[in-house]
Amino acid sequence: MPLARRTDLAVEATELWREEAGQTTRLEGVEARDSLREGYAVTTVRILNAQGAKALGKPVGTYVTLELSGLLRREEDAFPRAARALAAELQGLLDLPEGAPVLVAGLGNRAITPDGIGPKTADHTMVTRHLVEQLPEHFGAFRPVSALAAGVLGTTGMESGELVAAVVERIRPACVLAVDALASRSLRRVGRTVQLSDTGIIPGSGVGNARKALNRDSIGVPVIAIGVPTVVDAATLACDLLSEAGRGDLDPAALSGAGEGLVVTPKDVDAQVADLAKVIGYGINLALQPGLSLADIELLLS
Amino acid sequence: MPLARRTDLAVEATELWREEAGQTTRLEGVEARDSLREGYAVTTVRILNAQGAKALGKPVGTYVTLELSGLLRREEDAFPRAARALAAELQGLLDLPEGAPVLVAGLGNRAITPDGIGPKTADHTMVTRHLVEQLPEHFGAFRPVSALAAGVLGTTGMESGELVAAVVERIRPACVLAVDALASRSLRRVGRTVQLSDTGIIPGSGVGNARKALNRDSIGVPVIAIGVPTVVDAATLACDLLSEAGRGDLDPAALSGAGEGLVVTPKDVDAQVADLAKVIGYGINLALQPGLSLADIELLLS
Amino acid sequence: MPLARRTDLAVEATELWREEAGQTTRLEGVEARDSLREGYAVTTVRILNAQGAKALGKPVGTYVTLELSGLLRREEDAFPRAARALAAELQGLLDLPEGAPVLVAGLGNRAITPDGIGPKTADHTMVTRHLVEQLPEHFGAFRPVSALAAGVLGTTGMESGELVAAVVERIRPACVLAVDALASRSLRRVGRTVQLSDTGIIPGSGVGNARKALNRDSIGVPVIAIGVPTVVDAATLACDLLSEAGRGDLDPAALSGAGEGLVVTPKDVDAQVADLAKVIGYGINLALQPGLSLADIELLLS
Amino acid sequence: MPLARRTDLAVEATELWREEAGQTTRLEGVEARDSLREGYAVTTVRILNAQGAKALGKPVGTYVTLELSGLLRREEDAFPRAARALAAELQGLLDLPEGAPVLVAGLGNRAITPDGIGPKTADHTMVTRHLVEQLPEHFGAFRPVSALAAGVLGTTGMESGELVAAVVERIRPACVLAVDALASRSLRRVGRTVQLSDTGIIPGSGVGNARKALNRDSIGVPVIAIGVPTVVDAATLACDLLSEAGRGDLDPAALSGAGEGLVVTPKDVDAQVADLAKVIGYGINLALQPGLSLADIELLLS
C-alpha cells in the first residue's frame, strides 16, 4: 500500500505508513533502527527495494535522522556534540577516497529566513580547493572542497540543479553534499532535526515546487542530501492542533487548498536556522577533513 | 457584552462582536463607516464611550483601517496611491500646529522579519530635526522630525516604551507616531492592512507580550499608532482553515496553548514587510511635510 | 612606447600616455572621441591595432567611459538619464540577434563594500530565462536573461571565471555581461564613472590579483565588461594629494610597496555603490529588453 | 607648547609632542608607562594637570592603549587573551559598586563599515537589566546592563550624545561605556588598537565632526570611552607613505583640504571591525560580570 500523504522525512513516512496500515502490519522492504550518537537520538531508515520505495514514496537508499533537541536548550556542550554526531553519521554515508574533491551546494533562498539554511551552511564550509592547488606545501593534506550557494530560479533564471550540474561538469568532484530546507509534518521536528540521505535531493519538493532532481542520475556523481525541516505546512498545522487539543483527527488533505501561500515557522526561526547552519557546516568540515579538530576549524574559518 | 476573543484590529473586534452578539443587535457606543480613498477601502471605527470600549476591548478613540490589497497585485500606481491615502487618513487623526516637532518610533525587532515593520518604516522616514536646527535658511519651512528604532527588551534591556518616553522627555515632540507589527485573526488581512489610531499602542500586545502602554497617559503627548498585521496566530489559523474547508466552526480559544511558539506568515512576508514599510514611511513623510510631493521625498531620501 | 604605469580605465591610460610621451606626440593605433549622452560626458577610446594595444597596455577593442557626476549631486532626473545613457552605450557594443539569451555575471565580493558592485548589480537585473521557458504565452517577447553572482575564490574555492565558464557551457548564452569593481588612478573618477568595453575582463586585475581572463577566448562567447572604479590605491592617492597641494609630482611607482593592504574609498562608498549598481542594473535591463520602459522595469523588478 | 597636530589617541599625541618638542624635552604633567597584559603591549598615559592637558590637547585623565596585533595573525588563543586583557584594563578604570547598573552605548553608523564598531559591540554586549528585574531568582547576582546603538544624526535627527543623555536620565546607570570609531595618524595602529579612557568621548571628533561631548559634565555620570582607530585620514596617509619610501617628511597639515571626503581603511576592514567588536563586547561582559567565564558568556549570548 503506497503512502497517501507525503513528507520529506523518511522517518515520518514510516510513522505515517504505520498509522495508515495499522501497527501490526509489517512494512516489507524497509528497515528502521534507533540508536544514540553523542547523546542525540538517531533513527536510520533503510529502504531496501522497490516495495519499500513504493510504500514510503521515496527512493531506495539510507536515511539518517538526528534529533538535535539539546541544541535548542543551549546545553553547554550541545554544539560540539552535535557537530561530531553529524560528522560521524555523514561519514557513514560517504564512501570517499582520501583526498577526493567534494562540492558543497547550499540550495534555497538566502533572503527568506526558513529557506536560507543551505546558503548559510555554505558560509560555514571550509573552502580549500584553491588552497590545495595554490599552496600545496601547506594544504596538501587537505581534501579539496568547493562551495556554492545555488540561489533560486527567480534570482538567477537557472534551476539550482542546473547550476550544480554545470559546476560538477567543470570541476569534477567525487561527491556533492546538497543542503536544503525541508517541510515536516510534525511541529516538534521543525528546527531541531537533520536528515542525511544518500539518495540525492529534489529541490523545492518540500514546499510543493518539485523541480529537477539533484542525484547521481542527473549529475553523474553521488549526492548526499542534508535536509532540515524549517517549516510546517498550514493544513498540517491545523490538523495537528486539533488533534493535540483532543478535537478529533483530520487528514491535512481534507483542507487541501486552504492555507496556500502561508508558512508556519517557530517564532525563533532566525536563531534556529543560524544555529543549525553552523552545526551542519562544522559537521561537514569534520567529516571531510578528518585530521582537524573543531578548534582547528574554528581558527581556520573565522 | 464584552468580546470573548481579542484582536489588535478594531475592525475585526467589530466583526467578532457581531458574530457573538448576532447581526441584529445594535453595538452601542460604536460607530463604523466605510469609505474609499485613492481607490482603497477605508473603514473608520469610532469607539465613543465606555460602553463601546468595554464591548470591543479597546480604548475610546478612532481606528482607521486601510485595505491595501492592490499593492500586492503590483498595480502600476498602487504605491503612490497607497502613500497618499495613508497620508490623508493620518492627517485626519493628527492635530498638529504648523512646524510642531514629531517623533516617529519604529517598534519591534528588526532581526525577525514579520516584527521588523517598525524599524524598517523608521528607515524610510525623512529625518529633519537636525537640518531645521542647523540649516534654517534651507530647511526652515520643514517640520522637525526625529526617528527612533526602539529595539526590543532582549537587545537593549529597556522596554521600547521606556526608551520612547526617555526621548520624548528630552526632545519634547508635539506628537509620537508609533509603528508596530500586529496580529490579525484573519488570513486575508495579513500583510495588506494598515490600522491608524489615536489611542496609542501597547507594544507586543499582538503576540501575547503586553507590556507598558505607549500613549498620552504614559508619555504625556498624543501617540498615533500605526499597526500592520504581519502574523496570524496558529490557533486562529487552524480554526479558519477548518471553517474555509467546511469542516465546522471552532473557537481558537478551544485550542488554547496549542501552537505556542509558532507563527504563521505569508510565504512572501519579506517582500510584503518591505513594501508596506515604504508605503507607511512615505505616507508619514507626506502627512508631516505637506509642502512636498512624493517625487521630492524620493529625491531627498535616497 | 608602452605605458609605464597601469590603470583599468582606457581613458586614464590615454591620459597617462600623453603625460609620458608629451602632448604633441601622436598616439598611433588609438582613436578617442568625446561626446554627450543624456547630459553625461562620454569618452570612447578605440584601440585599433597591436601598436595601440602595446602603448596603452590593453587589448584591441572599444572602451566607453560615462561620467555620471550628476548622479552624485542627486539632480532630479539623474537616475533615469543615467540608466538610459548606459543602455544606449551598451547597445552600441552589443551585437545581439533579437531574443538571443544573455548571462549577467556580477563579479566580486558582496561582503566588502567597494568590491560588491558586481553582485549588487546582479540583484537589479531582471532575470527572465525561466519565465520565457515556463510562461511563453506571457514572456515570449522577452529576451532570456540569467544572472550569477560569481562570488570569490575564498568563499567558493573556484575562480569566478571558472564558474562563469561552467555556466556558459551549460546554458549557452549569446553573450556575457560581466560587472566588476575597478581601481582608478584618479580620485575624481572613483564612484562616478562606468567603463563599458567589448574586450572582456580580468577579474581582480584592478586590485593586483590578476586571475584567469573572462573573455571570448576563455569562454567562447563575447564578454562585455562593465567596470566601475570604487577604490584608488594608496600610493596613487599620496601622489595625487602632493600634486594637488602643489608639493611636486611623484610617480606612484616610487612608493611601490608602501600602503599595501590599504584601500582608499569615498566616505559615502556604501551609498555610491548602491546607487551605481541600480543605474547599471536598470541600464542593462533597458538595453536587453528594448520593449520596456524604466517604469515597466520598476514594476516588474520590485 | 601645545600640540600642532591632533589625534584621537593619547599615545600618538605623546609621540607627536616628542617629535615636535624634541626627544630630550620633558613633558610636564604627563606620565606614560608601558606594560604587558596577557601578552599584549599596554601603554598607559596619565594626563595629570592643565599643563599636560594643554600640551597634548586632551582632558586630564587616564588613557590606556592595548595593541592587539596577535588578533590579526589569528594566533590560537588570541581572542580569549585579548578579551581578558581588555576586561582587566577596563576594570582598572571602572570604580563601580557591586551590582551598580551600567549602560553600554555603541556610537557610530552601522551602515558604514569602519564606523560600525560601536553598534556591533553593542550586539555582543550581554544585556541583563530586564532579566535582573523580571527574574531576580535567576539573575539576581548579575549586574544590570543596558545597551543602546545610538545611531547617527542623519538617521535619527538627534545627536547620539543627546540620545544617551535622555536614556541616562531615565534609567540612571552608575556609569556609561561609550564605544566609538577613532581616526589614527598611524597606519600600523588602525584596526589593531583599543584605547580606554575615563575622560568620556566627543562623538565624531575623529573624523572631523566634533559634536556635543559625552562625559560626566554633559550627562552627570562617569563615561568610560572605548575607542578603536579604524580609519586613517588621507593627508596623513600620503605623508606617511612618503616618509616610509624615504621621500622626505611632510606635515599632513600642508595637504589640508586635499583628500576631503576620502577614507583610508585596511582592505579587510570588515573582518577587523567584526573581530574587534567581539573582543570588546566580550571584554566588557567579563569586566561587568566578574562571576562569569568566557565560556559562560558564549553560552548565554549565542
Side-chain angles (χ1 to χ4, degrees), chain B residues 127 129-130 134 146-148 153-158 162-163 165-167 169-171, chain D residues 127 129-130 134 146-147 153-158 162-163 165-167 169-171:
Chain B
V127 165
R129 179 173 173 261
H130 58 306
Q134 293 170 7
S146 325
L148 185 71
L153 201 54
T155 62
T156 63
M158 290 172 270
E162 229 178 333
L163 184 50
V167 170
E169 212 166 308
R170 182 97 187 176
I171 71 174
Chain D
V127 166
R129 178 173 174 261
H130 58 307
Q134 293 169 8
S146 325
L153 201 54
T155 62
T156 63
M158 291 172 268
E162 230 178 334
L163 184 50
V167 170
E169 211 166 310
R170 181 99 187 174
I171 71 173

mmCIF file of all heavy atoms in Angstrom, chain B residues 127 129-130 134 146-148 153-158 162-163 165-167 169-171, chain D residues 127 129-130 134 146-147 153-158 162-163 165-167 169-171:
data_model
loop_
_atom_site.group_PDB
_atom_site.id
_atom_site.type_symbol
_atom_site.label_atom_id
_atom_site.label_comp_id
_atom_site.label_asym_id
_atom_site.label_seq_id
_atom_site.Cartn_x
_atom_site.Cartn_y
_atom_site.Cartn_z
ATOM 1 N N VAL B 127 14.123 62.336 8.147
ATOM 2 C CA VAL B 127 14.525 62.911 9.420
ATOM 3 C C VAL B 127 15.032 64.324 9.165
ATOM 4 O O VAL B 127 15.924 64.513 8.338
ATOM 5 C CB VAL B 127 15.597 62.023 10.064
ATOM 6 C CG1 VAL B 127 16.295 62.741 11.186
ATOM 7 C CG2 VAL B 127 14.969 60.721 10.541
ATOM 8 N N ARG B 129 14.982 67.016 11.932
ATOM 9 C CA ARG B 129 15.174 67.855 13.114
ATOM 10 C C ARG B 129 16.530 68.568 13.109
ATOM 11 O O ARG B 129 16.629 69.763 13.351
ATOM 12 C CB ARG B 129 15.050 67.004 14.380
ATOM 13 C CG ARG B 129 15.255 67.772 15.670
ATOM 14 C CD ARG B 129 14.934 66.885 16.864
ATOM 15 N NE ARG B 129 15.272 67.534 18.127
ATOM 16 C CZ ARG B 129 16.395 67.290 18.806
ATOM 17 N NH1 ARG B 129 17.281 66.426 18.339
ATOM 18 N NH2 ARG B 129 16.629 67.924 19.950
ATOM 19 N N HIS B 130 17.594 67.818 12.807
ATOM 20 C CA HIS B 130 18.926 68.414 12.819
ATOM 21 C C HIS B 130 19.102 69.422 11.678
ATOM 22 O O HIS B 130 19.801 70.408 11.816
ATOM 23 C CB HIS B 130 19.977 67.312 12.743
ATOM 24 C CG HIS B 130 19.857 66.441 11.524
ATOM 25 N ND1 HIS B 130 18.691 65.788 11.173
ATOM 26 C CD2 HIS B 130 20.749 66.107 10.567
ATOM 27 C CE1 HIS B 130 18.874 65.102 10.068
ATOM 28 N NE2 HIS B 130 20.120 65.278 9.672
ATOM 29 N N GLN B 134 20.160 73.226 12.116
ATOM 30 C CA GLN B 134 21.497 73.626 11.676
ATOM 31 C C GLN B 134 21.491 74.431 10.386
ATOM 32 O O GLN B 134 22.409 75.206 10.143
ATOM 33 C CB GLN B 134 22.384 72.381 11.509
ATOM 34 C CG GLN B 134 22.662 71.695 12.841
ATOM 35 C CD GLN B 134 23.323 70.344 12.645
ATOM 36 O OE1 GLN B 134 23.686 69.972 11.540
ATOM 37 N NE2 GLN B 134 23.487 69.610 13.734
ATOM 38 N N SER B 146 12.105 63.592 14.133
ATOM 39 C CA SER B 146 13.148 62.669 14.581
ATOM 40 C C SER B 146 12.621 61.247 14.401
ATOM 41 O O SER B 146 11.420 61.037 14.286
ATOM 42 C CB SER B 146 13.477 62.859 16.059
ATOM 43 O OG SER B 146 13.375 64.190 16.436
ATOM 44 N N ALA B 147 13.542 60.279 14.394
ATOM 45 C CA ALA B 147 13.113 58.889 14.257
ATOM 46 C C ALA B 147 13.926 58.032 15.208
ATOM 47 O O ALA B 147 15.082 58.329 15.518
ATOM 48 C CB ALA B 147 13.300 58.405 12.826
ATOM 49 N N LEU B 148 13.304 56.954 15.649
ATOM 50 C CA LEU B 148 13.926 56.083 16.636
ATOM 51 C C LEU B 148 13.483 54.664 16.335
ATOM 52 O O LEU B 148 12.285 54.392 16.254
ATOM 53 C CB LEU B 148 13.424 56.502 18.027
ATOM 54 C CG LEU B 148 14.016 55.812 19.225
ATOM 55 C CD1 LEU B 148 15.462 56.252 19.430
ATOM 56 C CD2 LEU B 148 13.214 56.144 20.473
ATOM 57 N N LEU B 153 13.408 44.471 24.171
ATOM 58 C CA LEU B 153 13.924 44.268 25.512
ATOM 59 C C LEU B 153 15.184 43.403 25.530
ATOM 60 O O LEU B 153 16.162 43.720 26.207
ATOM 61 C CB LEU B 153 12.804 43.620 26.343
ATOM 62 C CG LEU B 153 12.903 43.745 27.845
ATOM 63 C CD1 LEU B 153 13.054 45.184 28.268
ATOM 64 C CD2 LEU B 153 11.683 43.128 28.500
ATOM 65 N N GLY B 154 15.177 42.322 24.749
ATOM 66 C CA GLY B 154 16.302 41.392 24.785
ATOM 67 C C GLY B 154 17.590 41.974 24.243
ATOM 68 O O GLY B 154 18.673 41.499 24.556
ATOM 69 N N THR B 155 17.521 43.012 23.432
ATOM 70 C CA THR B 155 18.755 43.565 22.882
ATOM 71 C C THR B 155 19.160 44.879 23.551
ATOM 72 O O THR B 155 20.280 45.331 23.380
ATOM 73 C CB THR B 155 18.646 43.818 21.363
ATOM 74 O OG1 THR B 155 17.620 44.777 21.144
ATOM 75 C CG2 THR B 155 18.303 42.544 20.615
ATOM 76 N N THR B 156 18.262 45.492 24.304
ATOM 77 C CA THR B 156 18.597 46.762 24.938
ATOM 78 C C THR B 156 18.502 46.704 26.464
ATOM 79 O O THR B 156 19.112 47.515 27.144
ATOM 80 C CB THR B 156 17.618 47.876 24.495
ATOM 81 O OG1 THR B 156 16.303 47.525 24.934
ATOM 82 C CG2 THR B 156 17.626 48.057 22.994
ATOM 83 N N GLY B 157 17.716 45.757 26.984
ATOM 84 C CA GLY B 157 17.460 45.755 28.418
ATOM 85 C C GLY B 157 16.425 46.784 28.832
ATOM 86 O O GLY B 157 16.127 46.936 30.013
ATOM 87 N N MET B 158 15.891 47.537 27.855
ATOM 88 C CA MET B 158 14.857 48.545 28.153
ATOM 89 C C MET B 158 13.589 48.214 27.378
ATOM 90 O O MET B 158 13.656 47.800 26.221
ATOM 91 C CB MET B 158 15.330 49.937 27.692
ATOM 92 C CG MET B 158 16.462 50.508 28.520
ATOM 93 S SD MET B 158 17.123 52.045 27.769
ATOM 94 C CE MET B 158 18.405 51.337 26.711
ATOM 95 N N GLU B 162 9.778 52.600 27.441
ATOM 96 C CA GLU B 162 10.696 53.328 28.320
ATOM 97 C C GLU B 162 11.643 54.202 27.500
ATOM 98 O O GLU B 162 11.896 55.363 27.825
ATOM 99 C CB GLU B 162 11.529 52.277 29.062
ATOM 100 C CG GLU B 162 11.622 52.446 30.544
ATOM 101 C CD GLU B 162 12.423 51.318 31.162
ATOM 102 O OE1 GLU B 162 12.473 50.192 30.584
ATOM 103 O OE2 GLU B 162 13.008 51.551 32.234
ATOM 104 N N LEU B 163 12.167 53.619 26.427
ATOM 105 C CA LEU B 163 13.112 54.355 25.587
ATOM 106 C C LEU B 163 12.415 55.529 24.900
ATOM 107 O O LEU B 163 12.944 56.650 24.858
ATOM 108 C CB LEU B 163 13.722 53.383 24.562
ATOM 109 C CG LEU B 163 14.809 53.906 23.640
ATOM 110 C CD1 LEU B 163 15.902 54.617 24.404
ATOM 111 C CD2 LEU B 163 15.413 52.746 22.838
ATOM 112 N N ALA B 165 9.767 57.067 25.949
ATOM 113 C CA ALA B 165 9.464 58.055 26.992
ATOM 114 C C ALA B 165 10.694 58.902 27.306
ATOM 115 O O ALA B 165 10.598 60.128 27.478
ATOM 116 C CB ALA B 165 8.957 57.350 28.254
ATOM 117 N N ALA B 166 11.860 58.263 27.393
ATOM 118 C CA ALA B 166 13.090 58.996 27.688
ATOM 119 C C ALA B 166 13.365 60.040 26.617
ATOM 120 O O ALA B 166 13.711 61.192 26.908
ATOM 121 C CB ALA B 166 14.268 58.020 27.790
ATOM 122 N N VAL B 167 13.197 59.648 25.368
ATOM 123 C CA VAL B 167 13.479 60.567 24.274
ATOM 124 C C VAL B 167 12.442 61.693 24.231
ATOM 125 O O VAL B 167 12.772 62.861 24.007
ATOM 126 C CB VAL B 167 13.542 59.799 22.935
ATOM 127 C CG1 VAL B 167 13.585 60.762 21.755
ATOM 128 C CG2 VAL B 167 14.753 58.878 22.925
ATOM 129 N N GLU B 169 10.823 62.962 26.697
ATOM 130 C CA GLU B 169 11.116 63.899 27.773
ATOM 131 C C GLU B 169 12.221 64.871 27.370
ATOM 132 O O GLU B 169 12.220 66.028 27.755
ATOM 133 C CB GLU B 169 11.574 63.083 28.996
ATOM 134 C CG GLU B 169 11.214 63.675 30.321
ATOM 135 C CD GLU B 169 11.418 62.617 31.410
ATOM 136 O OE1 GLU B 169 10.868 61.490 31.226
ATOM 137 O OE2 GLU B 169 12.116 62.890 32.391
ATOM 138 N N ARG B 170 13.161 64.356 26.594
ATOM 139 C CA ARG B 170 14.321 65.164 26.221
ATOM 140 C C ARG B 170 14.009 66.115 25.071
ATOM 141 O O ARG B 170 14.338 67.292 25.128
ATOM 142 C CB ARG B 170 15.452 64.221 25.795
ATOM 143 C CG ARG B 170 16.738 64.919 25.424
ATOM 144 C CD ARG B 170 17.692 64.937 26.568
ATOM 145 N NE ARG B 170 18.867 65.740 26.319
ATOM 146 C CZ ARG B 170 19.808 65.959 27.214
ATOM 147 N NH1 ARG B 170 19.691 65.454 28.431
ATOM 148 N NH2 ARG B 170 20.849 66.685 26.933
ATOM 149 N N ILE B 171 13.399 65.593 24.012
ATOM 150 C CA ILE B 171 13.274 66.433 22.817
ATOM 151 C C ILE B 171 11.885 67.027 22.652
ATOM 152 O O ILE B 171 11.657 67.823 21.747
ATOM 153 C CB ILE B 171 13.716 65.692 21.523
ATOM 154 C CG1 ILE B 171 12.717 64.601 21.140
ATOM 155 C CG2 ILE B 171 15.118 65.106 21.669
ATOM 156 C CD1 ILE B 171 13.048 63.944 19.803
ATOM 157 N N VAL D 127 23.052 41.860 27.681
ATOM 158 C CA VAL D 127 22.068 42.780 28.245
ATOM 159 C C VAL D 127 21.299 42.054 29.334
ATOM 160 O O VAL D 127 20.751 40.978 29.087
ATOM 161 C CB VAL D 127 21.147 43.266 27.117
ATOM 162 C CG1 VAL D 127 19.927 43.939 27.680
ATOM 163 C CG2 VAL D 127 21.913 44.199 26.195
ATOM 164 N N ARG D 129 19.574 43.959 32.191
ATOM 165 C CA ARG D 129 18.739 44.783 33.067
ATOM 166 C C ARG D 129 17.333 44.206 33.241
ATOM 167 O O ARG D 129 16.819 44.103 34.348
ATOM 168 C CB ARG D 129 18.654 46.203 32.490
ATOM 169 C CG ARG D 129 17.776 47.144 33.304
ATOM 170 C CD ARG D 129 17.892 48.561 32.756
ATOM 171 N NE ARG D 129 16.973 49.470 33.404
ATOM 172 C CZ ARG D 129 15.800 49.839 32.884
ATOM 173 N NH1 ARG D 129 15.416 49.361 31.714
ATOM 174 N NH2 ARG D 129 15.024 50.668 33.544
ATOM 175 N N HIS D 130 16.715 43.809 32.132
ATOM 176 C CA HIS D 130 15.354 43.282 32.212
ATOM 177 C C HIS D 130 15.311 41.937 32.929
ATOM 178 O O HIS D 130 14.341 41.628 33.612
ATOM 179 C CB HIS D 130 14.771 43.172 30.802
ATOM 180 C CG HIS D 130 15.567 42.300 29.880
ATOM 181 N ND1 HIS D 130 16.913 42.471 29.656
ATOM 182 C CD2 HIS D 130 15.212 41.229 29.128
ATOM 183 C CE1 HIS D 130 17.347 41.561 28.796
ATOM 184 N NE2 HIS D 130 16.333 40.792 28.466
ATOM 185 N N GLN D 134 13.107 41.101 36.135
ATOM 186 C CA GLN D 134 11.956 40.207 35.980
ATOM 187 C C GLN D 134 12.190 38.809 36.542
ATOM 188 O O GLN D 134 11.241 38.120 36.904
ATOM 189 C CB GLN D 134 11.596 40.096 34.491
ATOM 190 C CG GLN D 134 11.065 41.402 33.925
ATOM 191 C CD GLN D 134 10.948 41.380 32.421
ATOM 192 O OE1 GLN D 134 11.115 40.342 31.789
ATOM 193 N NE2 GLN D 134 10.639 42.524 31.829
ATOM 194 N N SER D 146 22.335 47.669 30.347
ATOM 195 C CA SER D 146 21.515 48.007 29.186
ATOM 196 C C SER D 146 22.460 48.341 28.031
ATOM 197 O O SER D 146 23.628 48.629 28.244
ATOM 198 C CB SER D 146 20.642 49.235 29.444
ATOM 199 O OG SER D 146 20.206 49.271 30.763
ATOM 200 N N ALA D 147 21.929 48.320 26.832
ATOM 201 C CA ALA D 147 22.752 48.658 25.670
ATOM 202 C C ALA D 147 21.936 49.503 24.714
ATOM 203 O O ALA D 147 20.722 49.374 24.628
ATOM 204 C CB ALA D 147 23.239 47.396 24.970
ATOM 205 N N LEU D 153 23.148 61.232 13.539
ATOM 206 C CA LEU D 153 22.275 62.380 13.344
ATOM 207 C C LEU D 153 21.402 62.235 12.098
ATOM 208 O O LEU D 153 20.198 62.507 12.133
ATOM 209 C CB LEU D 153 23.162 63.624 13.243
ATOM 210 C CG LEU D 153 22.508 64.953 13.529
ATOM 211 C CD1 LEU D 153 21.811 64.938 14.879
ATOM 212 C CD2 LEU D 153 23.540 66.068 13.498
ATOM 213 N N GLY D 154 21.994 61.780 11.011
ATOM 214 C CA GLY D 154 21.264 61.712 9.753
ATOM 215 C C GLY D 154 20.128 60.700 9.755
ATOM 216 O O GLY D 154 19.212 60.792 8.959
ATOM 217 N N THR D 155 20.187 59.708 10.627
ATOM 218 C CA THR D 155 19.125 58.707 10.627
ATOM 219 C C THR D 155 18.143 58.896 11.775
ATOM 220 O O THR D 155 17.083 58.304 11.769
ATOM 221 C CB THR D 155 19.694 57.277 10.696
ATOM 222 O OG1 THR D 155 20.413 57.144 11.921
ATOM 223 C CG2 THR D 155 20.622 56.998 9.530
ATOM 224 N N THR D 156 18.495 59.701 12.770
ATOM 225 C CA THR D 156 17.606 59.886 13.911
ATOM 226 C C THR D 156 17.167 61.338 14.089
ATOM 227 O O THR D 156 16.155 61.597 14.725
ATOM 228 C CB THR D 156 18.306 59.484 15.232
ATOM 229 O OG1 THR D 156 19.420 60.363 15.430
ATOM 230 C CG2 THR D 156 18.772 58.046 15.189
ATOM 231 N N GLY D 157 17.958 62.272 13.584
ATOM 232 C CA GLY D 157 17.673 63.665 13.860
ATOM 233 C C GLY D 157 18.144 64.115 15.234
ATOM 234 O O GLY D 157 17.942 65.259 15.616
ATOM 235 N N MET D 158 18.742 63.184 15.985
ATOM 236 C CA MET D 158 19.261 63.511 17.333
ATOM 237 C C MET D 158 20.753 63.256 17.389
ATOM 238 O O MET D 158 21.242 62.267 16.835
ATOM 239 C CB MET D 158 18.594 62.607 18.391
ATOM 240 C CG MET D 158 17.125 62.884 18.614
ATOM 241 S SD MET D 158 16.385 61.608 19.696
ATOM 242 C CE MET D 158 15.798 60.441 18.442
ATOM 243 N N GLU D 162 22.837 63.332 22.801
ATOM 244 C CA GLU D 162 21.503 63.690 23.267
ATOM 245 C C GLU D 162 20.688 62.440 23.621
ATOM 246 O O GLU D 162 19.998 62.387 24.639
ATOM 247 C CB GLU D 162 20.790 64.395 22.095
ATOM 248 C CG GLU D 162 20.138 65.698 22.420
ATOM 249 C CD GLU D 162 19.522 66.314 21.156
ATOM 250 O OE1 GLU D 162 19.997 66.028 20.028
ATOM 251 O OE2 GLU D 162 18.568 67.081 21.320
ATOM 252 N N LEU D 163 20.785 61.451 22.751
ATOM 253 C CA LEU D 163 20.029 60.214 22.979
ATOM 254 C C LEU D 163 20.551 59.494 24.217
ATOM 255 O O LEU D 163 19.769 59.026 25.059
ATOM 256 C CB LEU D 163 20.146 59.331 21.726
ATOM 257 C CG LEU D 163 19.358 58.036 21.684
ATOM 258 C CD1 LEU D 163 17.896 58.244 22.041
ATOM 259 C CD2 LEU D 163 19.457 57.404 20.299
ATOM 260 N N ALA D 165 22.081 60.866 26.729
ATOM 261 C CA ALA D 165 21.696 61.666 27.891
ATOM 262 C C ALA D 165 20.246 61.398 28.275
ATOM 263 O O ALA D 165 19.914 61.268 29.465
ATOM 264 C CB ALA D 165 21.899 63.156 27.582
ATOM 265 N N ALA D 166 19.369 61.300 27.265
ATOM 266 C CA ALA D 166 17.951 61.036 27.547
ATOM 267 C C ALA D 166 17.787 59.711 28.280
ATOM 268 O O ALA D 166 17.046 59.599 29.257
ATOM 269 C CB ALA D 166 17.154 61.032 26.242
ATOM 270 N N VAL D 167 18.497 58.698 27.809
ATOM 271 C CA VAL D 167 18.371 57.372 28.425
ATOM 272 C C VAL D 167 18.974 57.373 29.827
ATOM 273 O O VAL D 167 18.426 56.776 30.758
ATOM 274 C CB VAL D 167 19.023 56.307 27.513
ATOM 275 C CG1 VAL D 167 19.127 54.979 28.225
ATOM 276 C CG2 VAL D 167 18.218 56.179 26.220
ATOM 277 N N GLU D 169 19.166 59.802 31.912
ATOM 278 C CA GLU D 169 18.257 60.491 32.810
ATOM 279 C C GLU D 169 17.131 59.564 33.269
ATOM 280 O O GLU D 169 16.656 59.639 34.392
ATOM 281 C CB GLU D 169 17.655 61.681 32.055
ATOM 282 C CG GLU D 169 17.317 62.875 32.909
ATOM 283 C CD GLU D 169 17.069 64.083 32.022
ATOM 284 O OE1 GLU D 169 17.934 64.346 31.135
ATOM 285 O OE2 GLU D 169 16.028 64.717 32.173
ATOM 286 N N ARG D 170 16.706 58.693 32.353
ATOM 287 C CA ARG D 170 15.578 57.809 32.644
ATOM 288 C C ARG D 170 15.990 56.604 33.480
ATOM 289 O O ARG D 170 15.339 56.256 34.451
ATOM 290 C CB ARG D 170 14.992 57.314 31.319
ATOM 291 C CG ARG D 170 13.797 56.416 31.453
ATOM 292 C CD ARG D 170 12.542 57.202 31.239
ATOM 293 N NE ARG D 170 11.356 56.431 31.517
ATOM 294 C CZ ARG D 170 10.145 56.935 31.521
ATOM 295 N NH1 ARG D 170 9.961 58.214 31.281
ATOM 296 N NH2 ARG D 170 9.109 56.186 31.786
ATOM 297 N N ILE D 171 17.086 55.921 33.075
ATOM 298 C CA ILE D 171 17.369 54.645 33.738
ATOM 299 C C ILE D 171 18.495 54.757 34.749
ATOM 300 O O ILE D 171 18.795 53.793 35.433
ATOM 301 C CB ILE D 171 17.654 53.516 32.720
ATOM 302 C CG1 ILE D 171 19.001 53.703 32.014
ATOM 303 C CG2 ILE D 171 16.526 53.389 31.690
ATOM 304 C CD1 ILE D 171 19.377 52.527 31.134
#
